[in-house]
Amino acid sequence: MPLHVPPAPAPALRSVLTALGSPSAVREARVPDIPDIPAVPGVPAVPDIPAVSAVRAVPSLLSAEGPVTAELPLPVHVLDQVMPQGDRRPRTRLAGWRFLIRCGDRAIAAADTMPTPDGWALSHFFEGPYITSTEMALQQAEALPGDYQPRLLSVPELYMLTLWLRGDHETDPAEGEPAPADLLVPLAPAPPGIAAHRPRRVADLLPVMTSRVAPVPLLGFPA
């Protein structure tokens, strides 16, 4: 069934298109020294890097032959806490919107945007295995029966990113928690013990995720 892709906030899309549409600024921009900070799904990059420098830091954008476009906006939600703690249940929050950057018939990079006090702004561009994996997961979702709203769900505790297929496809894309019947498609690379690109109900996958972050009990020794 067709996916019900929600529209992204106009300022978020505009911030991406502005950066992509400034080739002269990209060529002339001086790239600042950027510390080598490991990327964690759902965690925004250093926010004060100029947009043109972010473009220049992605080789696939520099070497793109032909026009590039921003497509398939997906809201990025973050699951900050997998295991329940007391009365606190696992909850998600909207961290940003992600756009796939296409050149010709394939996605070559992605752009993350984030909310700021002044509205939506470009966070960073990036490339890597999640780009191809996201495209593959969306193609899988198109072939599934039923109607879904596609989202991304990041699980920093597991260094895991999934395509979240929301069954209530008419809901506000910025709101809502994963329902037991919603589907999650882990993207590659997935954590050990969790199969990538295998759609699973939230009710089935969440216990597996919980077991992956549960503390290992210490062995007891006689006094």
Side-chain angles (χ1 to χ4, degrees):
M1 297 290 290
L3 295 176
H4 299 264
V5 179
L13 175 59
R14 188 162 53 247
S15 69
V16 175
L17 296 179
T18 298
L20 291 175
S22 303
S24 60
V26 173
R27 286 195 301 268
E28 296 170 3
R30 180 177 181 273
V31 182
D33 292 331
I34 303 173
D36 185 15
I37 302 176
V40 177
V43 178
V46 181
D48 57 351
I49 299 174
V52 291
S53 299
V55 173
R56 196 171 177 190
V58 179
S60 59
L61 291 178
L62 286 175
S63 61
E65 297 182 359
V68 293
T69 58
E71 301 179 2
L72 286 172
L74 296 172
V76 182
H77 291 255
V78 177
L79 182 63
D80 287 312
Q81 171 193 315
V82 175
M83 292 188 62
Q85 297 181 4
D87 294 334
R88 294 179 55 192
R89 311 301 298 176
R91 298 186 63 84
T92 63
R93 59 180 173 84
L94 179 69
W97 281 79
R98 178 167 296 177
F99 300 81
L100 292 184
I101 308 301
R102 285 186 174 276
C103 180
D105 61 353
R106 68 186 184 93
I108 60 173
D112 275 356
T113 61
M114 62 182 182
T116 72
D118 297 322
W120 288 93
L122 176 69
S123 171
H124 63 295
F125 290 92
F126 67 96
E127 55 190 8
Y130 281 136
I131 309 301
T132 302
S133 187
T134 299
E135 277 199 304
M136 184 182 302
L138 288 168
Q139 292 171 359
Q140 285 182 270
E142 290 276 6
L144 294 174
D147 294 290
Y148 296 101
Q149 180 191 95
R151 307 175 172 193
L152 291 173
L153 180 64
S154 172
V155 188
E157 286 179 290
L158 293 174
Y159 292 86
M160 177 181 177
L161 186 63
T162 74
L163 178 66
W164 171 12
L165 299 176
R166 176 82 168 166
D168 184 2
H169 59 83
E170 295 183 350
T171 189
D172 185 338
E175 299 179 354
E177 305 295 329
D182 288 351
L183 296 180
L184 296 178
V185 184
L187 302 185
I194 296 178
H197 292 284
R198 179 187 172 189
R200 301 183 66 176
R201 296 170 64 248
V202 169
D204 298 328
L205 186 57
L206 187 58
V208 178
M209 294 163 54
T210 301
S211 69
R212 302 298 300 176
V213 299
V216 179
L218 297 176
L219 295 175
F221 294 92

